[in-house]
Amino acid sequence: MSLLRTKPVERIADEGAHTSLRRSLGLVPLIALSVGATLGTGIFVVLGQAAPVAGPAVAVSFVVAGLAALFSALSYAELAGAVPVSGSAYSYTYATLGELVAWVCGWCLLLEYGVSVAAVAVGWSGYLNAFLDATLGVRLPEALSGGVVNLPAAVVVLLAMGVLLGGVRESAAVTTVTTALKVAVLVFFVVVAVFGFRTQNLTPFAPAGIAGITGAASLVFFSFIGFDAASTAGEEAKNPQRDLPRAIVISLAIVTVVYVLVALTAVGAAGVDVLTGSDASLATVLQQLTNQSWPATVLSAGAVVAIASVVLTVLYGQTRVLVAMSRDGLVPRVFARVGRRRVPTANTLIVGVVVAVLAALVPLGQLAEATSIGTLVAFGLVNIGVIVLRRTRPDLPRGFRTPWVPVVPLLGLGMCALLVAGLAPATWSAFGIWSVVGLVVYFGYGRRHSALAQGE
């Protein structure tokens, strides 16, 4: 029964209320954090991977993935307002489904955040090469940009780590500026691409049918994980009960609209073949469309800055989940220690170095799919958690209430199951290995050091 012990909501809330982290984030920085962690990941990086799977219907794949994310986002919004702490889905699960399930959720979040940072960093490397080629006429050696090792991907992770070590207020300011730049760059792309839009590029619209659409949706779903990164700011938000739910829903709406517009205009302007396999697909579209170098240069410059902001914000989410797990004793206490600038210094250093190594060595496609499966499992558990908490704690104050419970959470759970089913067998095998390693760590360390078990 110790595996099913739950952590009281009041205790979780009390820890969040007496946090050693700095409460300095209002609604706008929280929206910027959420959009910054999301916008750009799927469009700048994975569109070239997903387009050949779904064909021109890749825009519909973004809608399907966005709907799946919306149902889960509504569940996240309720739990973020009711349990405003750094642990995000991990803490919500601990309060509703028990310690073992919470550990599994937290372990999935580590996969989700850590691997997605690495995936985006690999995509950033492709746009850096495109920018250097357009402005200076040089490219990084193939061996250093993915052939043997991806050095730029590792460098951008280490730079993000340095910004995070400077403090959450400073990190939020950087995120807000880079997010605004990112939106401006994507609006620029849509405006240019609309003038080259050709309806013949949209036929056949769905050559692989529903299977292709859902398969591509499974691949791009990891580009919607930004809103749950915002929920990791529960202990650094000024008014988390009010602002976290709003930031989650608003940011997801912004991101979904932009993704669909960019995907549709990109395919309509250039066709699927141009997008296929390119690490800098949007820059390639502009280059072909205008026969001039400056539009692609502008886009690549914006992407270099914008994708770096995704690395920054998702790396932030990774460290805050580890803070919560460490405080509960399930991982070593070093991850919860807060330094002079009121940030988890050792935690940030360890995570930054590990993710930098991962980004340097693992190809993009494998990283994207591994992120998707970790995300979908965590989202599914959050949807279940909303239903459980409504039954066990109907009296709990909630800053936001998910509509039509249990219908909406069950739809979210079903969409997660549908997208998980579309992932490749190799992804399932990698996830199985990751899960086994996680269980070994829990039974070898976490269960014995659990603060809840020790009565701390």
Side-chain angles (χ1 to χ4, degrees):
M1 293 301 296
S2 64
L3 301 179
L4 302 178
R5 58 193 172 216
T6 58
K7 188 175 180 181
V9 175
E10 290 80 7
R11 178 171 173 174
I12 297 175
D14 183 69
E15 290 174 349
H18 296 88
T19 181
S20 55
L21 300 173
R22 176 179 295 157
R23 291 198 178 275
S24 58
L25 303 180
L27 179 60
V28 172
L30 288 171
I31 293 173
L33 172 65
S34 185
V35 174
T38 310
L39 191 58
T41 317
I43 288 297
F44 282 118
V45 178
V46 183
L47 182 58
Q49 307 284 334
V53 177
V58 68
V60 180
S61 298
F62 277 104
V63 174
V64 172
L67 282 174
L70 175 61
F71 293 131
S72 297
L74 293 173
S75 294
Y76 259 99
E78 176 168 328
L79 294 182
V83 192
V85 291
S86 293
S88 184
Y90 157 76
S91 295
Y92 311 153
T93 307
Y94 210 162
T96 56
L97 301 176
E99 185 172 285
L100 179 60
V101 180
W103 169 265
V104 171
C105 184
W107 195 246
C108 287
L109 289 175
L110 297 184
L111 176 68
E112 170 191 340
Y113 288 126
V115 177
S116 67
V117 170
V120 178
V122 172
W124 181 84
S125 175
Y127 274 96
L128 178 64
N129 251 337
F131 176 69
L132 292 175
D133 189 25
T135 56
L136 302 177
V138 299
R139 296 181 67 88
L140 296 173
E142 179 65 25
L144 297 180
S145 57
V148 177
V149 64
N150 201 320
L151 185 60
V155 169
V156 73
V157 174
L158 295 177
L159 289 173
M161 180 189 74
V163 173
L164 290 177
L165 289 172
V168 67
R169 184 179 299 165
E170 292 76 9
S171 301
V174 172
T175 299
T176 301
V177 172
T178 54
T179 298
L181 173 63
K182 187 186 315 186
V183 172
V185 167
L186 290 174
V187 169
F188 167 76
F189 173 86
V190 170
V191 170
V192 175
V194 162
F195 286 100
F197 195 92
R198 298 179 181 178
T199 55
Q200 56 263 40
N201 285 333
L202 301 182
T203 56
F205 186 67
I210 297 298
I213 292 173
T214 56
S218 300
L219 183 61
V220 304
F221 185 80
F222 95 105
S223 60
F224 286 89
I225 69 170
F227 69 82
D228 66 317
S231 70
T232 64
E235 294 177 32
E236 289 158 291
K238 294 178 181 178
N239 190 341
Q241 288 84 358
R242 183 196 67 188
D243 290 343
L244 283 179
R246 293 180 180 181
I248 288 170
V249 175
I250 292 171
S251 63
L252 183 61
I254 293 171
V255 165
T256 302
V257 169
V258 173
Y259 277 170
V260 172
L261 286 176
V262 173
L264 185 62
T265 54
V267 174
V272 171
D273 292 341
V274 172
L275 296 173
T276 299
S278 173
D279 285 338
S281 53
L282 299 189
T284 304
V285 169
L286 291 185
Q287 179 68 47
Q288 175 177 300
L289 189 61
T290 64
N291 289 321
Q292 298 182 51
S293 61
W294 72 265
T297 302
V298 170
L299 186 91
S300 296
V304 167
V305 176
I307 297 177
S309 75
V310 179
V311 175
L312 172 65
T313 50
V314 180
L315 193 67
Y316 166 88
Q318 169 97 71
T319 60
R320 270 45 180 186
V321 170
L322 277 169
V323 166
M325 297 178 73
S326 177
R327 192 163 52 204
D328 291 332
L330 301 185
V331 297
R333 295 299 177 98
V334 65
F335 288 100
R337 292 176 189 162
V338 175
R340 181 175 56 86
R341 301 188 69 86
R342 299 182 71 179
V343 296
T345 306
N347 178 345
T348 305
L349 286 169
I350 294 169
V351 169
V353 171
V354 170
V355 173
V357 171
L358 188 65
L361 299 178
V362 183
L364 172 62
Q366 297 174 21
L367 289 171
E369 291 210 5
T371 303
S372 291
I373 196 166
T375 305
L376 289 165
V377 171
F379 283 8
L381 292 174
V382 168
N383 284 300
I384 296 172
V386 166
I387 299 172
V388 171
L389 200 62
R390 282 286 187 97
R391 290 183 176 273
T392 58
R393 293 298 308 274
D395 59 318
L396 189 69
R398 291 166 168 85
F400 174 86
R401 296 180 70 88
T402 304
W404 305 309
V405 172
V407 175
V408 167
L410 287 176
L411 285 172
L413 183 62
M415 292 294 285
C416 289
L418 175 66
L419 293 178
V420 162
L423 294 174
T427 303
W428 276 100
S429 298
F431 181 70
I433 295 171
W434 176 258
S435 299
V436 170
V437 172
L439 292 174
V440 170
V441 173
Y442 173 71
F443 285 104
Y445 181 91
R447 189 182 182 195
R448 293 187 295 109
H449 292 83
S450 168
L452 192 61
Q454 296 173 8
E456 295 181 16

